[in-house]
Amino acid sequence: MYVQELEPVADSLGLSALVAALPLLIVLVLLGGVRTKAHLAGLTGLLAAVLVARLAYHMPLGQTLSSAAQGAAFGLFPILWIVVNALWVYRMTVRTRHFDVLRRSFGRLSDDPRVQALVIAFCFGALLEALAGFGAPVAICSVMLVALGFDPVRAAVVALVANTAPVAFGAMGTPVVTLAQVTGLPLDTVASVVGRQTPLLALVVPLVLVWIVDGRRGLRETWVPALVCGTAFAAAQFAASNYVSPQLADIGASLAGAAALVAVPQTRVPAAEPVRAAVLTGVRSEDLDTEDPRPEVLRAYAPYALIVAIFSTAQIPAVKDWLAHATRTYDWPFLDVVNPAGKPVGGNVFTWPVVATGGTLVLLAGICTAAVLGVPARVAVTEWVATVRELRFAILTVTSVLALAYVMNLSGQAATIGHCVAAAGAGLAFLSPVLGWFGVAVSGSDTSANALFGALQVSAAHESGLPPDLLAAANSSGGVLGKMISPQNLVIACAAVGLAGREGDVLRKVLPWSIGLLLAMCLIVVGQSSPVLDWMLP
């Protein structure tokens, strides 16, 4: 049995936290400073995590390696399972040229690249996040932007920054559902508080996107559609999370945002040629003005309609229960870890949702897509294999980063960092979102960050006298801002637009936005913990 320690270095929580943070710091420095390729940075960070676990935390080598193996397995399933299948659907639409039809359809909504960024990255990306999550929105939206003529780096940055506001309710509400489970708080309570924090991000993110696309001029000329889109998205997300269902929050928000954006007259105004020339620096297809037959347009939208239909069907209670029966739980070999209180940690077992996971549902949608688009079975299989080959370095990166995260979690490194933050006392309300941000930066998943730090946030709240539901929600709301700098999401974005090896370039562009928006979220939580904004809480 391995018992986690919180202060293994000189019996000091602060020194132990500094040592525990080394693996993540190494990954970020290698990516953003040294410009090392992501898979090499991930492997180096994993080696550092193993050394810290073994030398500082005295975790047995066998259990350390078993922790890494479980993290790699989780990276393959369900995370990469859903990314591979989502990109497979995309590749089939490219193969049959229906992606061009879809691209032209989006392009006809507006020829203004700043509005296109809102439609595709913010609204359509939020819909994909609601249904699939785990990197699929970033991959698909960044490719669509490149096809419209965006520079690949700018397309990747826009897709990553846009993938913030919907994350807490992504994958049919999985992050907040997990948060409720690990904290013991009612789901409605947790979702309701998160739904009074992340909508504030939704008001700002569209304005940030038009700034990224076209700077000061973009903000000056398109702030009205950006603000209308963000307001509609925020209002729908708040209403659904508080009064309808957290699982449907992002679906309603994405559709409301898109409808409001299309309704703004300014959206239809043709963009000035200097704007297009300055923004669309990539190679733009010459067929954007081609008129497509209505049946072909419907077939182009069919893959995503199928995804919506299949995921929605999977949420019907009877179907959901039937799918859950296929879930398997195994005792993970060579792991016997207990926390400092002597209780077994969740990592001792491995849950395999064979059918209920998003990747399997996307696979089913892909099979239906092949039938609708007329893709022969042999070609469909060939495209799936080609997708795996295309993502081979991304697969190596994601598995190594998740292995790193699991070693940090199971050895106690993450708990040390968490307790160090929780010991902040009066500053806990400010640092609470930072803890969630850190968790997502390591794991790439708001769900994982909630599972890791959710209970800790509640314990710290009880000790400090702050509302437990506020700090639990802050963990998730702060976490969404760590997703854009997570190595696995950087790799997915870069692999999708042909920038493999340039993850560091993209990281340097998104890091200031991640930190700036995180600071804003910290101030919101501080306000909600005081009489200034406590009226916002349910």
Side-chain angles (χ1 to χ4, degrees), residues 145-152 154 276-285:
L145 292 173
V146 169
L148 287 171
F150 279 68
D151 171 74
R154 183 176 289 167
R276 298 182 56 76
V279 175
L280 300 180
T281 54
V283 178
R284 182 173 181 265
S285 299

Side-chain angles (χ1 to χ4, degrees), residues 41 107 125 134 147 176 180 238 254 267 278 300 333 361 379 388 401 476 522:
F134 295 108
V176 291
F238 162 75
S254 60
T267 300
L361 297 178
V379 175
V388 174
V401 168
S476 190
C522 291

Side-chain angles (χ1 to χ4, degrees), residues 165-190:
V167 168
F169 297 102
M172 304 305 293
T174 299
V176 291
V177 171
T178 301
L179 184 61
Q181 290 174 342
V182 300
T183 60
L185 298 172
L187 173 60
D188 290 344
T189 301
V190 172

Side-chain angles (χ1 to χ4, degrees), residues 114-182:
R114 300 163 299 190
V115 175
Q116 291 170 348
L118 295 176
V119 172
I120 294 171
F122 188 69
C123 298
F124 186 57
L127 180 61
L128 293 175
E129 179 67 33
L131 300 171
F134 295 108
V138 170
I140 293 174
C141 292
S142 56
V143 169
M144 293 182 73
L145 292 173
V146 169
L148 287 171
F150 279 68
D151 171 74
V153 172
R154 183 176 289 167
V157 171
V158 168
L160 285 165
V161 174
N163 191 224
T164 49
V167 168
F169 297 102
M172 304 305 293
T174 299
V176 291
V177 171
T178 301
L179 184 61
Q181 290 174 342
V182 300

Side-chain angles (χ1 to χ4, degrees), residues 39 80 390-399 488 491-492 495:
H39 64 280
L80 285 165
E390 180 184 342
L391 292 176
R392 60 190 183 280
F393 289 114
I395 291 172
L396 179 58
T397 302
V398 171
T399 51
Q488 75 177 55
V491 170
I492 289 169

Side-chain angles (χ1 to χ4, degrees), residues 26-27 30-31 35-47 393 396-397 400-401 491 503:
I26 287 172
V27 172
L30 288 177
L31 279 178
R35 301 191 182 188
T36 305
K37 291 185 177 180
H39 64 280
L40 296 178
L43 291 171
T44 305
L46 172 59
L47 177 60
F393 289 114
L396 179 58
T397 302
S400 62
V401 168
V491 170
E503 292 82 6

